[in-house]
Amino acid sequence: MTTEYNKPLPRLVNEAVSRPFWDAAKRHELVMPRCLNCSNMFFYPREQCPNCYSDNTEWVPVSGKGRVYSYTVVYQPANRAFQEEAPYIYAIVQLNEGPRIPTNLLECEIDGVELEMPVEVVFDDVTDDVTLVKFKPA
Amino acid sequence: MTLMDRRRRSDTLRGKVAIVGIGEVPTRRVIPDRTMYGLNAEAAKIAIADAGLRKEDVNGLVTDGAAALATMAEYIGIRPTFATGVSMQGASGASATTVAASAINGGLADTVLVVMGNSRLDRAVPGGASVRSEWEEAYGPAAGAGTGYAQIYTRHMYEFGTTQEQMAIVAANQRFNAQENENAVFHGQPASKEDVLSSRYINYPLRILESVMPCDGAAALIMTRADRAKSFPHRPVYLLGAGMEQSNANIWQTDRITTTPVKTSAARAFQMSGYGPGDMQFAEFYDCYTILVAVTLEDAGFVEKGEIGPFYESTDTTYKGSFPINTDGGQLSGGQPGLAGGFRHVIEGARQIMGRGGGRQVALNDLCMVNG
């Protein structure tokens, strides 16, 4: 953490909407927005529920367990800052609670990924302020 | 008024559509903690409720040029069969309303949401923060649009047993076609299936010869009324059917990533035309990556879902073959001059129907399906 982190950090669309997610990640907790009107759990967070349009939503803790929905192995990253890490796994994980999240798979060989393989969350404290939500085989 | 004048008027928008609901978010100097998309979505919510509708009833979306349509549709939670952005500065609102009316009159949608708005504090502007900048970029997505398409590819292999060898045929057959197209950027550079399979990865399972190359270029067409079309130098190319669907902006927001909006758009186009997949003689399909040609051909109904791999193994899709696909080489071998890259499919479909395909002219050239 003391060495300089030179990769892009999340640039938030709306602090008021998604700051609780990133604050929770920093505490090594995974939370998801849920609609208090229709109970729909959704991700990414937004100003109103994409299902019923209610703006009455809450944050709830989730298990951090899920499955690999799909993935790619990146050899040529869009951002050169990632080049030294390549090839690495960029995946969509489907949480057991339903929502899907883009992420990296850690502690996994690039030819060792199978779809629907169970994974669990890993909190990667990339800087003093920012923790990224990643996954590893469960 | 002559009979002709009366008929012309009956073909117009006059009296054909009506506004049935309105919505407005109160205008304030600054609305804190909100985004442009969020304010638009709230206005949409109010208008939909005002009309006594549910969001599922809305199948058209027209907005201004500042909004990304896919993001807007995703945010509002709709998948419209007609969507477009209208950029006419101060006249955008009235113009967008007219465009919506034309779409309804043309059968592209029944119920259209026209929505536009502004947030001066919002950073969700071009180059600013976005869903991608918040939820994807820190995890190192691949160059271009390859991240999402590769994940469709991986999932398709998992669900249906599709192979990279089968997808290499898509690229190789189009490269064969490009050898008869002097306008193609890869004219004079043949590449076999084996060449495709030995090319380097951009991001697994996509190799560089399965991906488009950004290029310079431009394309254009002229369209006129069918009753005038016979007096022109070339065989007229009639539009018999059309369909659209606006999907999500982000692949991870899509329920089933191996099914594309073409499932809806093609069905609507076929319904309008009175024809079906079995009637088509050739196809010009959008091809930023091999896998997209594959899944969209499935969704259009040319083969059953998941059967595109075996189809490519058993069918000659070159211009000489029994079902020619991307006869000019497509974007994969023709190159991608920005948005004109996808426009090439319309141009080549028209060229073939006009009978001006030259060395790559297809034998049967009356009915073509284009996907963009």
Side-chain angles (χ1 to χ4, degrees):
Chain A
M1 249 198 298
T2 49
T3 56
E4 208 174 309
Y5 186 74
N6 65 353
K7 300 184 184 69
L9 295 169
R11 287 182 293 144
L12 276 55
V13 173
N14 187 345
E15 289 272 344
V17 165
S18 59
R19 176 51 62 193
F21 176 91
W22 295 108
D23 286 348
K26 203 177 160 189
R27 299 191 305 270
H28 289 200
E29 293 170 17
L30 186 60
V31 296
M32 286 282 137
R34 186 169 66 186
C35 177
L36 284 161
N37 181 50
C38 73
S39 300
N40 175 41
M41 192 181 285
F42 58 94
F43 189 76
Y44 53 95
R46 48 199 107 177
E47 290 155 52
Q48 60 187 33
C49 167
N51 182 50
C52 77
Y53 292 171
S54 169
D55 60 3
N56 193 11
T57 62
E58 63 175 347
W59 289 93
V60 293
V62 291
S63 65
K65 296 187 188 306
R67 289 170 186 276
V68 176
Y69 179 73
S70 195
Y71 77 100
T72 177
V73 180
V74 180
Y75 289 77
Q76 188 177 325
N79 188 318
R80 284 171 182 274
F82 289 93
Q83 193 64 59
E84 62 185 25
E85 313 285 336
Y88 55 87
I89 303 161
Y90 181 106
I92 301 170
V93 163
Q94 179 147 21
L95 300 174
N96 287 352
E97 292 82 0
R100 289 188 194 145
I101 183 168
T103 189
N104 296 130
L105 287 192
L106 307 179
E107 302 176 35
C108 184
E109 298 296 325
I110 58 170
D111 56 1
V113 193
E114 287 179 33
L115 298 205
E116 301 300 338
M117 157 177 120
V119 291
E120 62 187 24
V121 69
V122 180
F123 294 98
D124 189 356
D125 301 314
V126 295
T127 71
D128 290 342
D129 297 323
V130 176
T131 297
L132 297 179
V133 174
K134 300 183 179 178
F135 288 80
K136 66 175 184 183
Chain B
M1 196 159 63
T2 67
L3 186 65
M4 182 64 84
D5 285 341
R6 199 163 289 160
R7 200 173 71 203
R8 289 258 169 77
R9 182 173 287 182
S10 74
D11 287 342
T12 68
L13 291 174
R14 185 177 187 277
K16 297 285 178 56
V17 302
I19 295 168
V20 294
I22 53 173
E24 204 172 32
V25 175
T27 302
R28 298 292 178 261
R29 180 73 171 139
V30 168
I31 303 178
D33 298 337
R34 301 296 301 277
T35 61
M36 183 263 282
Y37 289 110
L39 293 172
N40 273 286
E42 185 180 347
K45 167 189 177 175
I46 298 166
I48 291 167
D50 189 56
L53 296 173
R54 300 168 309 136
K55 71 177 194 296
E56 290 75 15
D57 300 320
V58 175
N59 61 359
L61 174 65
V62 183
T63 183
D64 60 37
L69 284 155
T71 305
M72 187 74 89
E74 183 174 292
Y75 212 106
I76 296 173
I78 58 175
R79 285 180 71 108
T81 58
F82 175 77
T84 196
V86 174
S87 277
M88 290 186 74
Q89 290 76 39
S92 294
S95 303
T97 305
T98 308
V99 168
S102 303
I104 294 167
N105 195 41
L108 297 174
D110 302 309
T111 306
V112 179
L113 168 68
V114 181
V115 62
M116 43 194 75
N118 189 47
S119 166
R120 297 193 305 134
L121 293 181
D122 189 4
R123 289 174 292 159
V125 292
S130 62
V131 170
R132 190 174 161 100
S133 81
E134 181 162 7
W135 304 109
E136 298 181 40
E137 285 176 4
Y139 302 100
T147 308
Y149 290 109
Q151 291 178 111
I152 291 172
Y153 198 157
T154 308
R155 189 75 196 179
H156 205 274
M157 292 194 291
Y158 171 79
E159 290 180 359
F160 306 113
T162 306
T163 66
Q164 292 175 275
E165 286 75 14
Q166 290 166 339
M167 290 301 97
I169 303 171
V170 177
N173 285 4
Q174 292 189 200
R175 185 60 67 95
F176 178 88
N177 291 344
Q179 302 318 304
E180 293 293 334
N181 178 10
E182 290 185 359
N183 291 347
V185 72
F186 288 111
H187 179 255
Q189 297 178 58
S192 66
K193 175 184 161 187
E194 290 69 32
D195 293 332
V196 175
L197 286 170
S198 59
S199 67
R200 70 179 169 86
Y201 280 123
I202 302 288
N203 55 306
Y204 169 89
L206 285 172
R207 300 174 186 277
I208 192 162
L209 291 187
E210 293 183 78
S211 312
V212 281
M213 185 167 79
C215 292
D216 290 354
L221 61 71
I222 302 290
M223 185 177 274
T224 190
R225 289 201 320 265
D227 62 356
R228 295 188 62 208
K230 284 195 171 67
S231 61
F232 288 80
H234 305 295
R235 183 190 186 200
V237 181
Y238 297 105
L239 178 67
L240 302 180
M244 291 169 63
E245 189 185 45
Q246 177 65 62
S247 65
N248 300 96
N250 303 288
I251 190 74
W252 50 284
Q253 293 287 307
T254 304
D255 282 344
R256 289 203 65 185
I257 65 174
T258 51
T259 296
T260 69
V262 172
K263 187 171 181 191
T264 299
S265 61
R268 291 179 66 92
F270 280 133
Q271 186 180 29
M272 187 185 291
S273 73
Y275 292 102
D279 299 314
M280 297 298 110
Q281 295 163 336
F282 65 106
E284 308 290 346
F285 264 47
Y286 194 86
D287 62 333
C288 48
Y289 299 91
T290 51
I291 187 64
L292 188 67
V293 187
V295 294
T296 51
L297 287 167
E298 289 177 344
D299 292 340
F302 291 108
V303 295
E304 292 293 312
K305 195 72 205 165
E307 292 298 315
I308 195 65
F311 171 83
Y312 264 95
E313 284 176 330
S314 63
T315 310
D316 182 355
T317 66
T318 70
Y319 63 85
K320 297 177 171 177
S322 56
F323 192 73
I325 296 168
N326 291 345
T327 48
D328 67 340
Q331 297 185 89
L332 289 171
S333 282
Q336 185 177 47
L339 301 182
F343 192 27
R344 77 162 54 254
H345 301 294
V346 179
I347 303 290
E348 174 68 4
R351 181 187 282 118
Q352 290 283 354
I353 286 175
M354 288 175 176
R356 299 159 75 200
R360 63 180 190 278
Q361 179 63 49
V362 298
L364 301 172
N365 67 333
D366 294 319
L367 289 169
C368 170
M369 181 171 235
V370 172
N371 177 46

